[in-house]
Amino acid sequence: MRRLLLACALIASALPAFAVQPDEILKDPALEARARALSIELRCLVCQSQSIDDSDATIARDLRILVRERLEAGDSDDQVKAFLVDRYGEFVLLKPRFTWHTAVLWGTPPVLLIVGGALAFGVFRRRRSAPASSLTQAEEARIEALLAKDD
């Protein structure tokens, strides 16, 4: 029984801790659900690898409050995102939109994967078709003679 409780405690401690403070939570459950969904999509400007929902940074708290204020004011989810992008730039989005200036960001991984695969294929193909020995017939005869002499 103790092992089970210990295992449950370890699993619970491994789960992500949400940084939303009780005083930030909206009274309307529908608005709060929208706010949480938006918070997961927005990047903490200090932590950079965390959403504002996960971050304990002061600016993340300010952004969570700002999102909730905009939702209470009647803004749609897209309007809230547009407001934050206008204010902080595309960097605030954890998943940047596909636009002409982010095409390189989105296109580079598949291009690198294709180029790397083509290079690997070429190298393996070249190794397979390369001759086993690059010695001349005279050199091979000399090696054979030396080996026969040792026996």
Side-chain angles (χ1 to χ4, degrees), residues 12 16 19 26 41 45 63 73 79 91-92 112 118 127-129 139:
L26 297 172
E41 297 176 20
L45 301 173
L63 286 172
Q79 288 173 325
F91 183 72
V92 79
L112 288 177
R127 281 189 183 173
R128 189 180 290 170
S129 65
E139 291 170 334

Side-chain angles (χ1 to χ4, degrees), residues 50-70:
Q50 287 183 323
S51 69
I52 63 172
D53 199 48
D54 295 332
S55 175
D56 286 328
T58 306
I59 193 164
R61 175 180 165 79
D62 294 342
L63 286 172
R64 288 191 302 265
I65 291 171
L66 181 62
V67 165
R68 284 165 173 76
E69 287 173 355
R70 301 293 297 188

Side-chain angles (χ1 to χ4, degrees), residues 3-75:
R3 287 185 182 175
L4 180 61
L5 289 174
L6 180 61
C8 289
L10 287 174
I11 290 171
S13 68
L15 295 175
F18 297 110
V20 177
Q21 303 297 317
D23 62 330
E24 297 175 29
I25 297 175
L26 297 172
K27 290 181 173 88
D28 183 4
L31 277 180
E32 180 60 27
R34 285 178 54 204
R36 291 302 284 265
L38 279 170
S39 295
I40 291 170
E41 297 176 20
L42 299 172
R43 178 188 319 271
C44 174
L45 301 173
V46 175
C47 307
Q48 297 182 6
S49 63
Q50 287 183 323
S51 69
I52 63 172
D53 199 48
D54 295 332
S55 175
D56 286 328
T58 306
I59 193 164
R61 175 180 165 79
D62 294 342
L63 286 172
R64 288 191 302 265
I65 291 171
L66 181 62
V67 165
R68 284 165 173 76
E69 287 173 355
R70 301 293 297 188
L71 289 175
E72 284 181 324
D75 287 359

